[in-house]
Amino acid sequence: MDMSLVNSFDRDNILVARVDDFLNWARASSTWYFQFGLACCAIEMIAAAQPRHDLERFGAMPRASPRQADVIIVSGTVTMTMATRIKRLYDQMAEPKYIISMGSCSNSGGPYWQHGYHVLKGVDLIVPVDIYVPGCPPRPEALIDGLLALHKKIREDTPLRKVS
Amino acid sequence: MEFTEIIARVDQLAPGAFAPAEEGAGHVWVQPEQWLKVAQLLREDPELHFDSLMCLSGHDRGPEQPLWVAYNLHSMDILHKLEVRIEALREGGSIFSVANIWRTADWHEREVYDLFGINFEGHPDMRRILLPVDWEGHPLLKDYTAPDYYRGIPVLKDKRGWE
Ligand code: SF4
């Protein structure tokens, strides 16, 4: 977090900042995530949310509804049955929205990348992924690293300027 | 009871329902049209009392051969087991459902239908269970080929190095 913003309150209660920075600081500080645990990777995502790793200290709170979430963490094997649902739930999320793809399965099909007729070979075939977290499964630290990478990405965003 | 004793008991109660068991096979083939009657008997008869259907699975030996379904039965009070098998046609095969006799069979029969395309006559809710409802084909058949697209999503098939 950019502490210079907070420290400026000590002096004169006037905040001087670029609007982009201010908005991005707010957005990156509360990335509520839509938990989308699909297989074994979900266990690590749950572990990351538990007190030992405590994802909430980074402002990430699990939500069970796409309407309340800023980021969707797709963790696990995306089957064809689930693929259509992920697409629909992603469409239901409010902009701006981000996707973290957690684990080999949702990155590329994982152990099923050759054989599984029923497994989607990477969730990026149907939705745009922002952060890929490698591993089978990734440890909670890896997910935290992915989340911090997402924060970095959000802070470099320009939410008020339209991208042409 | 031992395998041969179980067979003898069924032969006595429902003659001709079982095909003669092969030596040392450990399973027995049932005449499809007798299956409902035999299933009832296996469950209800106090000496057999197979109250648990442990597993139910489809099998495919390859193209142009009939499929079969194997039922693994277990009795929780007598502690004996039995495997019975039933053949089904490859195209439009149908077997009597035993979902009303062993509740376990409900989802298992749907799975066999989903992956092998065998219909279970009299099943309360015969539809796919694992794959999406609009999936085409039955993937565990040996002559199955996966589609290239499902609802516009590419089904990538990289088979370099193993085929
Ligand atoms: S990447 Fe590995 S651990 Fe994660 S869902 Fe796939 S198989 Fe399970």
Side-chain angles (χ1 to χ4, degrees), chain A residues 13 25 76:
Chain A
N13 273 353
W25 169 71

Side-chain angles (χ1 to χ4, degrees), chain A residues 80-81 83-84 88 113-121 125-126, chain B residues 115 130-132 135 139 146 150-151 153-156 158 160 162:
Chain A
M80 287 300 178
T81 323
T84 47
R88 179 183 301 174
W113 74 280
Q114 275 189 324
H115 302 263
Y117 57 87
H118 60 301
V119 174
L120 187 67
K121 311 290 187 268
L125 287 169
I126 51 165
Chain B
L115 302 176
L130 297 170
L131 291 163
W135 193 267
Y150 168 68
R151 291 204 197 175
I153 306 169
V155 183
L156 303 182
D158 187 345
R160 271 172 303 169
W162 65 283

Side-chain angles (χ1 to χ4, degrees), chain B residues 78-122:
Chain B
I78 309 175
L79 298 178
H80 57 199
K81 3 172 147 355
L82 178 69
E83 175 174 336
V84 298
R85 293 183 180 178
I86 303 174
E87 273 197 359
L89 288 179
R90 214 177 168 78
E91 299 291 328
S94 184
I95 293 176
F96 286 118
S97 165
V98 288
N100 293 326
I101 299 173
W102 294 283
R103 290 293 293 147
T104 329
D106 187 337
W107 283 13
H108 286 223
E109 285 177 350
R110 282 176 62 189
E111 186 184 359
V112 171
Y113 165 71
D114 196 353
L115 302 176
F116 292 91
I118 299 171
N119 182 48
F120 287 88
E121 221 175 307

Side-chain angles (χ1 to χ4, degrees), chain B residues 35-83:
Chain B
W35 172 227
L36 212 50
K37 191 172 133 207
V38 175
Q40 200 86 45
L41 198 147
L42 289 171
R43 165 137 205 171
E44 306 294 336
D45 183 60
E47 278 187 39
L48 299 167
H49 200 224
F50 287 103
D51 48 2
S52 162
L53 175 61
M54 294 194 297
C55 189
L56 184 169
S57 43
H59 289 248
D60 182 9
R61 279 165 288 185
E64 285 159 37
Q65 300 205 54
L67 310 168
W68 84 69
V69 178
Y71 299 75
N72 294 87
L73 301 166
H74 181 243
S75 169
M76 285 189 279
D77 63 355
I78 309 175
L79 298 178
H80 57 199
K81 3 172 147 355
L82 178 69
E83 175 174 336

Side-chain angles (χ1 to χ4, degrees), chain A residues 8-154:
Chain A
S8 67
F9 285 109
D10 296 345
R11 299 194 294 275
D12 45 16
N13 273 353
I14 293 174
L15 183 70
V16 181
R18 285 167 62 218
V19 180
D20 273 352
D21 284 349
F22 180 67
L23 287 179
N24 287 343
W25 169 71
R27 290 198 304 137
S29 303
S30 80
T31 42
W32 290 8
Y33 62 96
F34 180 30
Q35 40 177 346
F36 218 91
L38 294 174
C40 5
C41 272
I43 302 296
E44 299 297 308
M45 181 183 68
I46 295 161
Q50 297 295 319
R52 183 175 285 265
H53 296 95
D54 195 9
L55 214 54
E56 275 196 39
R57 71 196 144 122
F58 303 108
M61 178 151 66
R63 308 306 298 169
S65 158
R67 304 298 292 176
Q68 302 167 351
D70 307 292
V71 48
I72 172 169
I73 300 181
V74 181
S75 50
T77 317
V78 183
T79 56
M80 287 300 178
T81 323
M82 225 51 205
T84 47
R85 288 161 174 76
I86 289 185
K87 181 88 180 81
R88 179 183 301 174
L89 288 165
Y90 176 73
D91 288 344
Q92 287 175 359
M93 285 169 72
E95 291 277 1
K97 51 192 175 184
Y98 300 91
I99 298 189
I100 295 180
S101 161
M102 177 184 183
S104 306
C105 277
S106 83
N107 289 346
S108 67
Y112 315 98
W113 74 280
Q114 275 189 324
H115 302 263
Y117 57 87
H118 60 301
V119 174
L120 187 67
K121 311 290 187 268
V123 75
D124 49 5
L125 287 169
I126 51 165
V127 285
V129 174
D130 294 283
I131 304 290
Y132 296 86
V133 180
C136 179
R139 285 190 51 90
E141 294 91 322
L143 180 61
I144 291 171
D145 191 52
L147 191 77
L148 294 179
L150 180 70
H151 287 181
K152 189 155 175 274
K153 182 168 181 170
I154 292 174

